[in-house]
Amino acid sequence: VQLVESGGGLVQAGGSLRLSCAASESAFVFNAMRWYRQAPGKRRELVAAITSGDSTYYTDSVKGRFTISRDNAKNAVYLQMNSLKPEDTAVYYCNVDIFSESWDCEGSTCYWGQGTQVTVSS
């Protein structure tokens, strides 16, 4: 599964960005879809996840500011990021799962995008 991400960039604090991630093949049906991020010197962390039934999860630091959504017809997942803060600066990775509905990627059924840089200036 190849995932193509877009939408990263440089934005001032308080601004917004919308990340997109789409699968290049239409043959797969995805269960959980997720966004992770990794800041310099830090471990990769789960930011948000959405199941095939549209249940959602957010890490505490982004609740009320970020919204995850999906378009099953396009095999795509999105992350709308509002009220961005400098601490949101990271490389953001999309992740899709062809089997599990768990919030977190647990094994070999997950596939990763290449990552897109988000930089929030103060």
Side-chain angles (χ1 to χ4, degrees), residues 17 21 24-25 36 57 64 68 77-78 89 92 96 99 106 112:
L17 285 173
C21 172
S24 57
E25 305 92 1
Y36 288 78
Y57 162 89
I68 189 171
V77 61
Y78 308 98
T89 295
Y92 283 71
V96 299
F99 178 75
E106 297 174 339
W112 294 88

Side-chain angles (χ1 to χ4, degrees), residues 2-105:
Q2 282 195 315
L3 301 173
V4 179
E5 298 182 31
S6 61
L10 174 64
V11 65
Q12 288 189 329
S16 297
L17 285 173
R18 185 177 189 246
L19 305 183
S20 300
C21 172
S24 57
E25 305 92 1
S26 61
F28 292 96
V29 176
F30 299 127
N31 286 334
M33 304 179 84
R34 314 171 181 103
W35 287 96
Y36 288 78
R37 67 185 178 188
Q38 187 167 21
K42 295 188 176 181
R43 297 180 64 179
R44 187 176 298 185
E45 67 166 339
L46 176 64
V47 176
I50 185 167
T51 67
S52 60
D54 289 335
S55 295
T56 57
Y57 162 89
Y58 298 95
T59 194
D60 286 345
S61 62
V62 309
K63 285 180 180 177
R65 300 189 298 122
F66 290 11
T67 302
I68 189 171
S69 60
R70 61 190 290 165
D71 184 336
N72 294 325
K74 296 181 179 179
N75 261 352
V77 61
Y78 308 98
L79 187 68
Q80 178 67 44
M81 305 185 294
N82 298 329
S83 302
L84 282 161
K85 304 176 181 180
E87 51 263 43
D88 295 317
T89 295
V91 178
Y92 283 71
Y93 298 89
C94 69
N95 174 282
V96 299
D97 206 308
I98 61 173
F99 178 75
S100 176
E101 296 274 29
S102 298
W103 295 137
D104 208 352
C105 172

